[in-house]
mmCIF file of all heavy atoms in Angstrom:
data_model
loop_
_atom_site.group_PDB
_atom_site.id
_atom_site.type_symbol
_atom_site.label_atom_id
_atom_site.label_comp_id
_atom_site.label_asym_id
_atom_site.label_seq_id
_atom_site.Cartn_x
_atom_site.Cartn_y
_atom_site.Cartn_z
ATOM 1 N N LEU A 106 -22.376 48.375 33.157
ATOM 2 C CA LEU A 106 -20.975 48.459 32.638
ATOM 3 C C LEU A 106 -20.223 47.147 32.692
ATOM 4 O O LEU A 106 -20.227 46.492 33.792
ATOM 5 C CB LEU A 106 -20.317 49.666 33.413
ATOM 6 C CG LEU A 106 -18.942 50.028 32.957
ATOM 7 C CD1 LEU A 106 -18.892 50.650 31.548
ATOM 8 C CD2 LEU A 106 -18.234 50.985 33.944
ATOM 9 N N VAL A 107 -19.478 46.886 31.593
ATOM 10 C CA VAL A 107 -18.453 45.851 31.654
ATOM 11 C C VAL A 107 -17.027 46.437 31.809
ATOM 12 O O VAL A 107 -16.674 47.215 30.932
ATOM 13 C CB VAL A 107 -18.578 45.035 30.374
ATOM 14 C CG1 VAL A 107 -17.415 44.032 30.308
ATOM 15 C CG2 VAL A 107 -19.867 44.219 30.220
ATOM 16 N N ILE A 108 -16.366 46.191 32.833
ATOM 17 C CA ILE A 108 -15.060 46.809 33.201
ATOM 18 C C ILE A 108 -13.948 45.753 32.857
ATOM 19 O O ILE A 108 -13.919 44.708 33.632
ATOM 20 C CB ILE A 108 -14.982 47.315 34.545
ATOM 21 C CG1 ILE A 108 -16.239 48.282 34.859
ATOM 22 C CG2 ILE A 108 -13.702 47.998 34.837
ATOM 23 C CD1 ILE A 108 -16.284 48.616 36.349
ATOM 24 N N ALA A 109 -13.189 45.913 31.842
ATOM 25 C CA ALA A 109 -12.174 44.984 31.475
ATOM 26 C C ALA A 109 -10.777 45.493 32.123
ATOM 27 O O ALA A 109 -10.287 46.459 31.518
ATOM 28 C CB ALA A 109 -12.055 44.742 30.007
ATOM 29 N N GLN A 110 -10.301 44.757 33.031
ATOM 30 C CA GLN A 110 -9.053 45.123 33.664
ATOM 31 C C GLN A 110 -7.952 44.234 33.187
ATOM 32 O O GLN A 110 -7.965 43.057 33.437
ATOM 33 C CB GLN A 110 -9.210 45.215 35.142
ATOM 34 C CG GLN A 110 -10.162 46.100 35.661
ATOM 35 C CD GLN A 110 -10.050 46.373 37.215
ATOM 36 O OE1 GLN A 110 -10.420 45.431 37.975
ATOM 37 N NE2 GLN A 110 -9.524 47.337 37.624
ATOM 38 N N LEU A 111 -7.140 44.720 32.380
ATOM 39 C CA LEU A 111 -6.110 43.958 31.653
ATOM 40 C C LEU A 111 -4.709 44.179 32.308
ATOM 41 O O LEU A 111 -4.182 45.347 32.179
ATOM 42 C CB LEU A 111 -6.139 44.267 30.151
ATOM 43 C CG LEU A 111 -4.924 43.546 29.321
ATOM 44 C CD1 LEU A 111 -5.048 42.087 29.350
ATOM 45 C CD2 LEU A 111 -5.174 44.018 27.803
ATOM 46 N N THR A 112 -4.096 43.243 32.889
ATOM 47 C CA THR A 112 -2.763 43.377 33.435
ATOM 48 C C THR A 112 -1.871 42.351 32.841
ATOM 49 O O THR A 112 -2.294 41.457 32.044
ATOM 50 C CB THR A 112 -2.824 43.191 34.973
ATOM 51 O OG1 THR A 112 -3.251 41.905 35.267
ATOM 52 C CG2 THR A 112 -3.668 44.143 35.641
ATOM 53 N N GLY A 113 -0.509 42.480 33.076
ATOM 54 C CA GLY A 113 0.446 41.544 32.647
ATOM 55 C C GLY A 113 0.514 40.293 33.527
ATOM 56 O O GLY A 113 0.309 39.149 33.087
ATOM 57 N N PHE A 114 0.793 40.549 34.768
ATOM 58 C CA PHE A 114 0.941 39.518 35.692
ATOM 59 C C PHE A 114 -0.547 39.302 36.455
ATOM 60 O O PHE A 114 -1.417 40.108 36.239
ATOM 61 C CB PHE A 114 1.855 39.931 36.865
ATOM 62 C CG PHE A 114 3.265 39.979 36.393
ATOM 63 C CD1 PHE A 114 3.966 41.239 36.436
ATOM 64 C CD2 PHE A 114 3.951 38.916 35.969
ATOM 65 C CE1 PHE A 114 5.260 41.324 36.020
ATOM 66 C CE2 PHE A 114 5.326 39.021 35.491
ATOM 67 C CZ PHE A 114 5.881 40.198 35.574
ATOM 68 N N ARG A 115 -0.642 38.181 37.045
ATOM 69 C CA ARG A 115 -1.959 37.982 37.873
ATOM 70 C C ARG A 115 -2.075 39.049 38.817
ATOM 71 O O ARG A 115 -1.167 39.572 39.536
ATOM 72 C CB ARG A 115 -1.828 36.584 38.527
ATOM 73 C CG ARG A 115 -1.919 35.367 37.626
ATOM 74 C CD ARG A 115 -1.836 34.095 38.433
ATOM 75 N NE ARG A 115 -2.302 32.954 37.704
ATOM 76 C CZ ARG A 115 -2.334 31.640 38.158
ATOM 77 N NH1 ARG A 115 -2.028 31.495 39.340
ATOM 78 N NH2 ARG A 115 -2.709 30.656 37.410
ATOM 79 N N ARG A 116 -3.289 39.388 39.114
ATOM 80 C CA ARG A 116 -3.636 40.451 40.106
ATOM 81 C C ARG A 116 -3.334 39.980 41.459
ATOM 82 O O ARG A 116 -3.139 40.751 42.377
ATOM 83 C CB ARG A 116 -5.111 40.967 39.968
ATOM 84 C CG ARG A 116 -5.469 41.463 38.502
ATOM 85 C CD ARG A 116 -6.902 41.806 38.444
ATOM 86 N NE ARG A 116 -7.159 42.979 39.341
ATOM 87 C CZ ARG A 116 -6.913 44.152 38.836
ATOM 88 N NH1 ARG A 116 -6.369 44.498 37.625
ATOM 89 N NH2 ARG A 116 -7.214 45.263 39.677
#
Side-chain angles (χ1 to χ4, degrees):
L106 183 67
V107 172
I108 305 170
Q110 297 193 285
L111 174 57
T112 59
F114 297 114
R115 286 179 168 182
R116 302 179 68 83

